[in-house]
Amino acid sequence: MTYVPPPFDPELAAALELIKDMISPGLTPEEIAEVRQGPGIQLLADLDLTVGGAFEVEDRQVPGPEGEPDISLLICRPAGAESAGPRPVIYHVHGGGMVIGNNRVGVDVPLEWAKALDAVVVSVEYRLAPEHPHPAPVEDVYAGLLWTADHAAEIGADPERIVIAGASAGGGLCAALALLTRDRKGPQPIGQVLMCPMLDDRNDTPSTYQMAGLGVWDRTANETGWTALLGPRRGGPDVPEYAAAARAEDLTGLPPAFLDVGSAETFRDEVVAYASRIWQAGGVAELHVWPGGFHGFDGFAPQAAVSQAARRAQVAWLRRLLGA
C-alpha cells in the first residue's frame, strides 16, 4: 500500500527547509552519541532560565529510585512578590526520543506557562537509554514526582496541584507516570499535558508510514528510540504499559489530559487513539490535531500562526484546570 503524507502548513514547511541540514528525520543507533554532543545541547546550556529575572533557578540533587543514583531536579520559582498561597507545580519531563536530552530540553515551554499562571516549574533529569533501558527512565521520573510532592512546601508549591507535562518522549513518560502513580497510589496529579507524546513502541500506524523520511522524527528514529529503551522486546507481546502507555488496557482513574499533535507527524494516529481510549474509559481529555504540524513544530517554528494557536490552547486549558 502506498501512503501519501498530508501536507505541511506553509509556514512550517518553510521552517523545515531552514533546519533540514541540521536535523535528520531518521536517527540511527550509531548517531545517538553524536547528537548528544550536538550544537542543540550547547544552546540549552546558554538558555536564560530566569526569563529575564522572572524566576529564581536552582539545581537540586534528590534521591532516585531505591538503590539507584540520585537524580537532578531543575527548580524554577517565580521571583519577587510573594504569592497569596502555595503555587501550582508544573512537573516537566523532557523529550529526546528516550536517548538524548536533559532537564533543560523544552523547559522554555512550561516556563512560559508558569509566567502566565504564577506556577513553579520542576524539570526532572532521567537516565537515558540504551545505557539505562526501561524501567530506569520512568522510575527516575516517578522518584522526582515523589520528592516534589513530599517537599512542595520547601519550594512554595501546592502538592495537591501538580500538573505533569512533557513533549515527545517526555509526553510518553508522563502518560506512563500517570498510570504508574495511579497503580502505586502515589501522588495524584490534577492534570497531564501530553504534547506530541511518544506512546506506542509498535511503530505500525498509518501515520508512521506516511511520514517516513519526513519531518524531524520518522519511523527509523522511532525504532531507534524504542529499541534503545526496550531492546528485543520492542513491538512484541510483553511490553509493559509503564514503558509504552499505549499498551495499557485500563485507562480509568487518570487525571484530565490535554493532548496535542500535528496532522503531519509520526505520532498522530497513536495520540488520537490514546485520547479516544481515555474517553471510552469514561475519562476527561482535550485533543488538538494541528493541521500541517510536524513533530515539535511549535518549538522549531514558534512564530508560525499554528504554533501560536497551539501555545494559546495549552495555556487556556491549564488556566481552566487550575482556576487561574
Side-chain angles (χ1 to χ4, degrees), residues 14-40:
L16 268 180
E17 187 66 22
L18 290 174
I19 64 175
K20 68 179 182 180
D21 294 331
M22 294 182 288
I23 298 179
S24 165
L27 179 74
T28 65
E30 295 75 26
E31 294 169 329
I32 292 172
E34 179 183 352
V35 173
R36 284 177 178 173
Q37 303 302 318

Side-chain angles (χ1 to χ4, degrees), residues 232-250:
R233 289 189 295 170
R234 187 202 70 79
D238 62 344
V239 171
E241 63 194 51
Y242 307 135
R247 299 297 196 116
E249 295 183 2
D250 178 10

